Amino acid sequence: MKKIALTLVALMAVTMSFAKSSADRRFDMSCDIYRLSVTLNLDEQQMDAVEEIQDNFSNEMKSLSTLKGRQLRHGIHQTVRKDAEQMRQVLNPEQFHTYMRILFATLHNRNL
């Protein structure tokens, strides 16, 4: 009987961790900075700034995973707006346009 109870608890723990991790993956906005830098044709100074901005953006998006409804939409809107403002200061107009297309495609693909 003890084995059955422990097996059941272990099964439920694995199931809950899987469900939580799939929800968290939706908000994981970390990306390969090297691939992004090649796509945007960044120089070294821009690459360092973009890496820092992306880390902040990814952390802020992960923190939104607990919100629901209007709070979630508002939080995503504010986070994306802040990210766009910071990127606009670092990138030239052509790079910024390409970055925003990538960002909106990623958000759309993740149903955010």
Side-chain angles (χ1 to χ4, degrees):
M1 186 69 175
K2 185 177 178 182
K3 288 182 182 178
I4 293 173
L6 289 175
T7 304
L8 183 61
V9 168
L11 181 63
M12 291 179 78
V14 169
T15 304
M16 292 302 288
S17 67
F18 175 74
K20 184 176 187 215
S21 66
S22 66
D24 289 344
R25 274 186 271 155
R26 183 175 157 206
F27 290 92
D28 183 18
M29 299 302 284
S30 60
C31 68
D32 184 4
I33 297 297
Y34 176 75
R35 289 181 68 193
L36 185 62
S37 69
V38 169
T39 303
L40 298 177
N41 194 22
L42 301 177
D43 61 26
E44 266 186 57
Q45 186 179 8
Q46 286 177 319
M47 190 169 167
D48 292 338
V50 167
E51 185 174 8
E52 186 176 326
I53 293 168
Q54 273 301 115
D55 286 341
N56 292 338
F57 178 65
S58 181
N59 291 336
E60 288 180 22
M61 287 298 288
K62 284 179 187 176
S63 70
L64 296 176
S65 66
T66 58
L67 300 178
K68 301 222 185 289
R70 284 187 175 172
Q71 289 179 334
L72 175 63
R73 283 184 280 153
H74 180 70
I76 290 171
H77 178 77
Q78 292 298 326
T79 303
V80 169
R81 180 180 229 165
K82 180 180 173 185
D83 181 59
E85 288 172 2
Q86 291 174 342
M87 285 295 196
R88 187 181 298 270
Q89 294 174 358
V90 174
L91 304 175
N92 67 36
E94 183 180 327
Q95 291 170 327
F96 180 73
H97 179 71
T98 304
Y99 174 76
M100 292 307 290
R101 286 189 324 176
I102 293 169
L103 178 62
F104 286 130
T106 302
L107 292 171
H108 177 74
N109 289 340
R110 295 185 183 193
N111 293 324
L112 296 173

